[in-house]
Amino acid sequence: MFDSRHIRTFHEVVASGSYSAAARALGYTQPAITQQMKALERAVGTPLFTRVGRKMQLTEAGESMARHAESILGSLSAAEAQLKAYARLRTGRVRLCGFPSANVTLVPEALSDLAKDHPGIQVELLEGEPPESLRRLERGECDITLAFTYPGLHEEIPEEVAEVRLLEDQLTVLLPTGHPLARRRAVHLADLAEERWIAGCPRCRANLLHECAELGFVPDIRFATDDNLVVQSMVGQGLGVAMMPALVLPSLSLNKVCGRPLQPAARRHIAAYVYRDHLRIPATSVVLDALKQVASNRVGC
């Protein structure tokens, strides 16, 4: 392996024509230049210079090294500049995996702020519901993943993964605008015991069953989908009601559906997950900061 310092010195010797001139240009002593060139020749395994009278002349190997040295040094300079850009947050790529309701609310707001402050950072957006979104993190398919849990559900994560809590999201019931309960400010879950239900992802469906069981009834689930727009459309057509997070309320088509807080109050916990080592990567850290800032503005939603 060649020492990049030796290659820089070699390039200066060739450019200036002598060890003494290279020493003056680089601020070294001439013996230091001589020692570096001897070390480079040992690494190459053959002489790079010969003397013709008082002049130095490149050997055939030296001429080959001279052709490569400029390219090598150029690549090193480019690499140095790029790495400094990463460190100074001028560039970087972060793969972010979010669940659907976060990807239409939290994530766009965070990325909008990020684009203003750090336009060189590129975010690749993926989608997945927990627990699959966490598995994507473990498989290395993303750098940050967003997930939610419900009270009583403990998320199993590897020790090397950090949990960054973002917010608590109130659960609501989604009703057709003409539904009799839509006139209320809040709806008791027990009053929906005779309704037909549209369930969400497996984790949300499990929570719905749990909440209803606590009140002594089993919901009549007619449909199940993890697409929030599909749920909204089905509720709007009077096919059923749905338990939805408050996070999606801004995206509702209010002429067809309405969201009302549930009683007793229920919330889900939203957090970001990232490998602890990745917290030291500037681009990853700044994306997390943007998510935390947006989430803090939604406290109490």
Side-chain angles (χ1 to χ4, degrees), residues 23-140:
R24 288 192 297 272
L26 297 173
Y28 294 155
T29 64
Q30 185 168 331
I33 298 291
T34 302
Q35 290 302 316
Q36 286 194 43
M37 292 303 91
K38 285 181 178 179
L40 183 57
E41 288 179 331
R42 285 195 299 270
V44 173
T46 186
L48 299 174
F49 299 98
T50 60
R51 282 198 173 273
V52 180
R54 294 185 176 182
K55 293 184 178 180
M56 283 195 320
Q57 189 172 16
L58 289 170
T59 64
E60 187 175 358
E63 290 176 352
S64 178
M65 175 62 79
R67 289 193 296 270
H68 289 295
E70 189 166 353
S71 176
I72 292 170
L73 295 175
S75 296
L76 286 172
S77 295
E80 183 180 12
Q82 187 173 27
L83 291 173
K84 285 182 178 179
Y86 285 124
R88 294 172 183 169
L89 293 176
R90 287 201 297 264
T91 188
R93 182 174 72 97
V94 178
R95 298 166 300 166
L96 173 62
C97 181
F99 50 91
S101 55
N103 280 352
V104 298
T105 50
L106 291 179
V107 172
E109 290 182 36
L111 297 189
S112 176
D113 293 342
L114 192 70
K116 297 173 187 174
D117 298 331
H118 305 285
I121 294 180
Q122 176 187 354
V123 177
E124 180 181 343
L125 184 58
L126 311 172
E127 187 166 283
E129 296 276 9
E132 176 56 25
S133 58
L134 287 157
R135 304 293 85 81
R136 297 192 75 168
L137 178 69
E138 293 174 24
R139 293 195 298 264

Side-chain angles (χ1 to χ4, degrees), residues 270-289:
I270 297 176
Y273 298 85
V274 59
Y275 277 97
R276 297 183 191 278
D277 285 348
H278 288 191
L279 291 171
R280 297 181 297 162
I281 299 174
T284 301
S285 179
V286 80
V287 171
L288 276 174
D289 287 343

Side-chain angles (χ1 to χ4, degrees), residues 60-274:
E60 187 175 358
E63 290 176 352
S64 178
M65 175 62 79
R67 289 193 296 270
H68 289 295
E70 189 166 353
S71 176
I72 292 170
L73 295 175
S75 296
L76 286 172
S77 295
E80 183 180 12
Q82 187 173 27
L83 291 173
K84 285 182 178 179
Y86 285 124
R88 294 172 183 169
L89 293 176
R90 287 201 297 264
T91 188
R93 182 174 72 97
V94 178
R95 298 166 300 166
L96 173 62
C97 181
F99 50 91
S101 55
N103 280 352
V104 298
T105 50
L106 291 179
V107 172
E109 290 182 36
L111 297 189
S112 176
D113 293 342
L114 192 70
K116 297 173 187 174
D117 298 331
H118 305 285
I121 294 180
Q122 176 187 354
V123 177
E124 180 181 343
L125 184 58
L126 311 172
E127 187 166 283
E129 296 276 9
E132 176 56 25
S133 58
L134 287 157
R135 304 293 85 81
R136 297 192 75 168
L137 178 69
E138 293 174 24
R139 293 195 298 264
E141 296 174 7
C142 59
D143 305 302
I144 303 171
T145 196
L146 302 178
F148 58 85
T149 58
Y150 290 101
L153 174 62
H154 174 69
E155 199 70 79
E156 294 291 340
I157 59 174
E159 186 177 342
E160 60 270 24
V161 172
E163 178 185 48
V164 181
R165 296 196 174 188
L166 296 178
L167 58 88
E168 291 192 351
D169 189 18
Q170 183 174 334
L171 297 181
T172 66
V173 62
L174 203 60
L175 303 165
T177 51
H179 195 286
L181 295 178
R183 293 191 293 269
R184 299 183 182 179
R185 290 187 176 182
V187 176
H188 288 273
L189 184 57
D191 292 340
L192 301 168
E194 302 302 319
E195 297 285 343
R196 294 173 299 181
W197 285 85
I198 301 161
C201 70
R203 180 166 289 191
C204 296
R205 177 174 178 155
N207 181 69
L208 170 64
L209 292 170
H210 171 75
E211 295 285 345
C212 294
E214 289 287 300
L215 296 174
F217 73 95
V218 177
D220 178 12
I221 297 176
R222 297 294 183 90
F223 308 97
T225 174
D226 58 3
D227 189 317
N228 292 324
L229 290 177
V230 174
V231 172
Q232 181 182 154
S233 180
M234 296 179 81
V235 172
Q237 292 298 322
L239 296 174
V241 300
M243 185 181 288
M244 296 287 282
L247 204 59
V248 304
L249 294 183
S251 63
L252 295 182
S253 176
L254 297 178
N255 61 324
K256 292 185 178 181
V257 298
C258 63
R260 295 291 181 266
L262 276 170
Q263 295 293 336
R267 294 176 179 270
R268 65 176 184 172
H269 311 291
I270 297 176
Y273 298 85
V274 59

